[in-house]
Amino acid sequence: MRTVTDMPSVALAITSDVPAFEVAVPCEVFGLPRPDWVQPWYDFTVCAPEDTSFGGWFRVSTEHGLDQLARADTVIVPACHSVDTDPPADLVDAVRAAHDAGARIASICTGAFVLAAAGLLEGRRATTHWMHAERLARSYPAVQVEPDVLYLDDGDVLTSAGSAPGIDLCLHIVRTDYGTAVANDLARRLVTAPHRPGGQAQFIPGPAPQHDEPLGNLLAWVIAHLDQPLTVADLARRVNMSSRNLTRHFAAATGTTPLQWLLTQRIHRAQELLENTDGSVEQIAGRTGLGTATSLRRHFHRALGVAPGAYRRSFSPPR
């Protein structure tokens, strides 16, 4: 057991109708004593307005209002009730006041919208659930949104992606405060990985391209022939364009180059084959036009942050 002289304090900010999972994770990580590892553990407080309920079933019973957030060393902000409405003004004000008082502020999932509304993410790197990353970037242009990571630590402000990455972020906070050994022991107790490989990119489904003719027909043809060696000149000939003209049309329609788009589709196809077939990495490399297993592994890891084998173990159904 490790003894510490100062007990770090953590406050969880709850407002009505926030999701239950994002409330439960901080309570589990910071709210339960861990005398086997560290004594004392965290001084954990739940802060909420009166008559707050969440998750559709639970009512909060606490003596601490949101104004008490400013007394904590760390403040956890769970996901918003909805990104379609402004977060509660009293929550935004309390989070801003806590940061001004020197607190470390951490958000789970769409809790990043609360931090952004409080002005804490301006000029910073931040993340949120991949489904809402574009909206966060559009609503708060000064925020450097990174949609393909599980969490980001920007010093006194931390953000995490969807619900489960809230566990990753909380373990990261424990690792920062008490060291790797304690965080690893806690991960074992929770029966979760102390550090997950890769980022959100591996969880984002490949988009189905929808474009007008003639580019739409070309893209559909390419997806049906990913196993073939294709060049920009090959694609341009199919639509009777010059390579330069095709590249210009591609940029306007997809925001990227023909070869980058082609590589992205090959990665998406590799994901599908890893999930749904027993083919070897070498076979999948051939079927996706990525050539060799080495080439597939390199491009796959660069795009998704995880190896093909690890991806298959995570996403393929038991056979």
Side-chain angles (χ1 to χ4, degrees):
M1 183 188 72
R2 174 181 168 190
T3 302
V4 295
T5 55
D6 296 318
M7 181 191 303
S9 58
V10 174
L12 175 63
I14 303 181
T15 52
S16 288
D17 299 323
V18 299
F21 186 90
E22 286 84 342
V23 171
V25 168
C27 291
E28 174 73 22
V29 171
F30 303 110
L32 299 182
R34 306 291 180 180
D36 294 344
W37 307 323
V38 177
Q39 185 65 33
W41 189 238
Y42 289 93
D43 177 14
F44 182 71
T45 303
V46 172
C47 299
E50 291 185 10
D51 299 321
T52 294
S53 61
F54 68 95
W57 301 281
F58 308 107
R59 184 171 298 278
V60 179
S61 176
T62 179
E63 300 175 355
H64 308 284
L66 293 176
D67 59 311
Q68 298 298 302
L69 295 178
R71 298 187 177 184
D73 299 317
T74 299
V75 171
I76 310 292
V77 181
C80 296
H81 164 59
S82 171
V83 298
D84 296 324
T85 58
D86 292 335
D90 54 348
L91 173 62
V92 173
D93 291 342
V95 168
R96 185 187 299 115
H99 184 259
D100 289 344
R104 173 176 57 182
I105 312 294
S107 66
I108 298 175
C109 194
T110 55
F113 284 79
V114 177
L115 274 58
L120 305 188
L121 300 183
E122 191 163 336
R124 293 180 183 262
R125 299 163 59 232
T127 193
T128 189
H129 194 290
W130 59 265
M131 291 179 62
H132 305 294
E134 184 178 347
R135 186 186 188 101
L136 180 63
R138 186 172 63 249
S139 301
Y140 301 96
V143 181
Q144 302 172 36
V145 180
E146 298 190 13
D148 59 347
V149 297
L150 295 178
Y151 64 86
L152 280 171
D153 182 341
D154 199 39
D156 58 344
V157 175
L158 303 89
T159 52
S160 69
S163 301
I167 302 174
D168 298 288
L169 179 61
C170 289
L171 286 173
H172 171 73
I173 291 174
V174 172
R175 189 180 303 113
T176 300
D177 293 343
Y178 289 123
T180 299
V182 172
N184 288 352
D185 283 342
L186 177 55
R188 292 188 186 96
R189 186 70 60 87
L190 297 175
V191 196
T192 190
H195 181 76
R196 288 195 289 166
Q200 276 197 95
Q202 60 188 303
F203 301 96
I204 303 175
Q210 301 290 332
H211 298 287
D212 295 334
E213 297 183 12
L215 196 57
N217 291 337
L218 173 64
L219 301 188
W221 181 89
V222 170
I223 288 176
H225 296 82
L226 289 174
D227 59 323
Q228 299 182 12
L230 299 172
T231 66
V232 176
D234 294 331
L235 304 185
R237 278 193 295 270
R238 288 202 62 84
V239 288
N240 298 316
M241 291 183 185
S242 68
S243 296
R244 178 177 296 181
N245 198 23
L246 176 66
T247 299
R248 180 172 58 82
H249 276 278
F250 244 88
T254 70
T256 188
T257 67
L259 291 182
Q260 184 56 53
W261 180 88
L262 178 59
L263 176 60
T264 299
Q265 302 313 308
R266 285 173 165 157
I267 294 297
H268 289 329
R269 178 63 56 78
Q271 289 177 268
E272 294 173 1
L273 294 174
L274 287 166
E275 292 176 26
N276 301 312
T277 76
D278 294 320
S280 68
V281 174
E282 189 75 44
Q283 291 170 330
I284 291 174
R287 292 177 63 179
T288 58
L290 289 169
T292 66
T294 299
S295 177
L296 170 58
R297 290 188 180 98
R298 181 176 69 254
H299 288 299
F300 201 91
H301 193 279
R302 184 178 298 165
L304 303 182
V306 65
Y311 181 89
R312 170 173 270 167
R313 288 190 294 272
S314 296
F315 290 97
S316 61
R319 293 185 176 89

